[in-house]
């Protein structure tokens, strides 16, 4: 059981086909176990296909499309990784706008592995400290971020990690930031 109680807090999980399954299910379960209410948001309705590396995993039901979802209805945002997932999300204008709104509203955002690619397109990284899967470091630095190779990096409500091995630390910091609430320094 988590040391952080986030009872009643609504957490959006933004993803699409190609999501690295454990980077969805592990934080999702952590949020639920801490009393939070996760919601799956995707660019399209229906289901999304999860992957375990390059192998197909489970499918997950979409609760809201990114066009329908409103950041004002949530306390935090989680962006799981997966190369295909992240590449498709970063090209989606509704996903970009939904993500940017969390920063504009000073709400916690957590992103792991390839997920931070979307943060580049949302225009929210200039001057921010973060980590990601190592192959994204040049892209993130070019977007103005201060990238470092660490298990988890927290910067004013922005939580990032590198890969599935970092999930325990990622989940703990995600819950801590949600419990703390809005952060004045979390801004677009």
């Amino acid at each position: 059981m988590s040391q952080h109680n986030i009872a009643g807090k609504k957490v959006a999980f933004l993803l699409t086909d190609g999501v690295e399954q454990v980077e969805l299910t592990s934080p999702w379960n952590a949020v639920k176990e801490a009393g939070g209410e996760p919601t799956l948001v995707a660019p399209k309705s229906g289901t999304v296909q999860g992957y375990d590396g390059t192998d197909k995993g489970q499918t997950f039901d979409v609760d809201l499309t990114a066009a329908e979802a409103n950041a004002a209805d949530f306390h935090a945002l989680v962006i799981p990784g997966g190369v295909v997932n992240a590449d498709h999300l970063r090209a989606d204008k509704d996903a970009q706008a939904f993500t940017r709104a969390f920063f504009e509203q000073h709400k916690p955002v957590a992103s792991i592995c390839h997920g931070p690619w979307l943060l580049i397109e949302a225009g929210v990284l200039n001057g921010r400290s973060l980590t990601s899967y190592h192959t994204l470091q040049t892209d993130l630095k070019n977007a103005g971020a201060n990238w470092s190779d660490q298990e988890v990096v927290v910067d004013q409500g922005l939580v990032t990690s590198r890969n599935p091995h970092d999930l325990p630390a990622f989940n703990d910091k995600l819950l801590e930031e949600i419990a703390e609430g809005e952060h004045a320094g979390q801004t677009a």
Side-chain angles (χ1 to χ4, degrees):
M1 188 67 183
S2 168
Q3 64 181 351
H4 307 290
N5 181 344
I6 61 167
K9 302 276 185 168
K10 295 181 180 184
V11 181
F13 282 73
L14 180 59
L15 57 131
T16 193
D17 294 322
V19 66
E20 183 65 35
Q21 186 165 305
V22 72
E23 294 174 0
L24 164 62
T25 58
S26 179
W28 182 283
N29 290 334
V31 165
K32 285 182 74 170
E33 289 170 11
E37 300 172 21
T39 299
L40 197 155
V41 179
K44 62 178 179 66
S45 60
T47 61
V48 294
Q49 178 66 57
Y51 277 78
D52 180 9
T54 57
D55 298 325
K56 278 190 176 180
Q58 296 174 258
T59 58
F60 301 92
D61 293 329
V62 174
D63 296 310
L64 287 170
T65 67
E68 297 168 329
N70 184 341
D73 297 334
F74 297 96
H75 296 92
L77 173 64
V78 177
I79 306 166
V83 177
V84 173
N85 169 62
D87 194 42
H88 290 185
L89 278 181
R90 71 181 176 153
D92 187 274
K93 297 294 184 196
D94 292 324
Q96 294 169 19
F98 184 63
T99 300
R100 185 173 177 81
F102 280 86
F103 286 84
E104 290 169 345
Q105 296 171 27
H106 313 290
K107 295 178 179 179
V109 174
S111 188
I112 188 167
C113 200
H114 286 80
W117 254 346
L118 175 57
L119 303 178
I120 294 170
E121 301 304 324
V124 296
L125 291 183
N126 195 33
R128 301 302 295 272
S129 295
L130 74 155
T131 193
S132 68
Y133 193 70
H134 67 94
T135 60
L136 273 63
Q137 69 178 296
T138 299
D139 292 343
L140 294 165
K141 288 175 181 177
N142 286 341
N146 302 311
W147 189 90
S148 60
D149 185 13
Q150 296 180 53
E151 181 180 51
V152 64
V153 174
V154 181
D155 180 1
Q156 295 290 318
L158 175 60
V159 178
T160 53
S161 284
R162 302 170 297 190
N163 58 53
H165 298 290
D166 297 339
L167 280 165
F170 179 77
N171 292 343
D172 185 58
K173 289 299 183 182
L174 160 67
L175 296 176
E176 181 180 323
E177 295 304 296
I178 294 171
E180 288 176 5
E182 294 179 8
H183 292 70
Q186 172 74 319
T187 187

